[in-house]
Amino acid sequence: MLSQQVSALSMADIDCLLPVEEQAHSHPWTRGHFTDSFVAAYAAFGVRNAEGDILAYMFLMPVLEELHLLNITVRPEAQGNGFARVLLDFMQQYGLEQGFESVLLEVRRSNARAISVYQSAGFAEIGKRKNYYPVDAHTREDAIVMRKIL
C-alpha cells in the first residue's frame, strides 16, 4: 500500500528535494527554505519509490492547535498517481495522533487541479490572501485559504 511508503524526511534529503521542487514549481523553495524548515523542526514526510527516490513530499508547520501545510509537491512525472492524496491522508492521521484540531493551507487561485484534490480530501475554502503568490516580476496572484477540521 502507498501509505507504507510515507516516511519522515531529514536535512540529508535536501539534495533530493531541490530538483523535484525546481521541476514542479515556477517559484520553487530554495535550499534555504528547506534548511530553515528542518532547523525549525517542522514535520516533513515523503513518498519514495522502490529505489528510494522521492516522488512526493510535504512540510507541516505546527501553529498552536493547527497544522499549516507549507508545501506539498509531487514530482511532475509522478503526478496523477494519487501521491498527493496519500500524503494528505497521512497528514490527517498524523495531525489526529499529535492532537491538532485542523489543517490550514494556501493554494494559488489558478491551481484548479490542487483545489480539486484538497476539496476531495475534505478541505473547504475559508478566505483569500490578496496578491499572495508571485507570477512574474510585476504580477502577483491571490491565494485561496482552505481549512480541514480533523
Side-chain angles (χ1 to χ4, degrees), residues 29-104:
W29 273 21
T30 64
R31 179 177 296 276
H33 289 111
F34 286 112
T35 300
D36 290 348
S37 294
F38 285 121
V39 168
Y42 296 160
F45 299 99
V47 176
R48 298 177 190 267
N49 64 16
E51 292 76 38
D53 299 320
I54 295 173
L55 300 175
Y57 55 86
M58 68 180 168
F59 282 77
L60 303 166
M61 177 178 71
V63 181
L64 303 173
E65 72 282 346
E66 187 166 69
L67 282 175
H68 191 146
L69 178 60
L70 297 176
N71 185 335
I72 184 168
T73 301
V74 178
R75 183 183 294 269
E77 63 270 20
Q79 292 178 3
N81 292 306
F83 295 118
R85 187 54 186 263
V86 166
L87 286 173
L88 291 172
D89 291 346
F90 182 89
M91 176 190 64
Q92 176 172 324
Q93 188 60 39
Y94 171 83
L96 287 168
E97 289 172 1
Q98 298 296 313
F100 290 99
E101 296 176 8
S102 63
V103 179
L104 184 80

Side-chain angles (χ1 to χ4, degrees), residues 76-134:
E77 63 270 20
Q79 292 178 3
N81 292 306
F83 295 118
R85 187 54 186 263
V86 166
L87 286 173
L88 291 172
D89 291 346
F90 182 89
M91 176 190 64
Q92 176 172 324
Q93 188 60 39
Y94 171 83
L96 287 168
E97 289 172 1
Q98 298 296 313
F100 290 99
E101 296 176 8
S102 63
V103 179
L104 184 80
L105 64 84
E106 293 91 8
V107 60
R108 286 180 183 272
R109 184 186 61 208
S110 64
N111 195 343
R113 185 176 185 181
I115 292 167
S116 175
V117 169
Y118 294 139
Q119 288 172 334
S120 73
F123 284 84
E125 181 177 335
I126 62 165
K128 291 185 176 37
R129 298 196 197 283
K130 197 151 184 66
N131 299 318
Y132 188 75
Y133 288 109

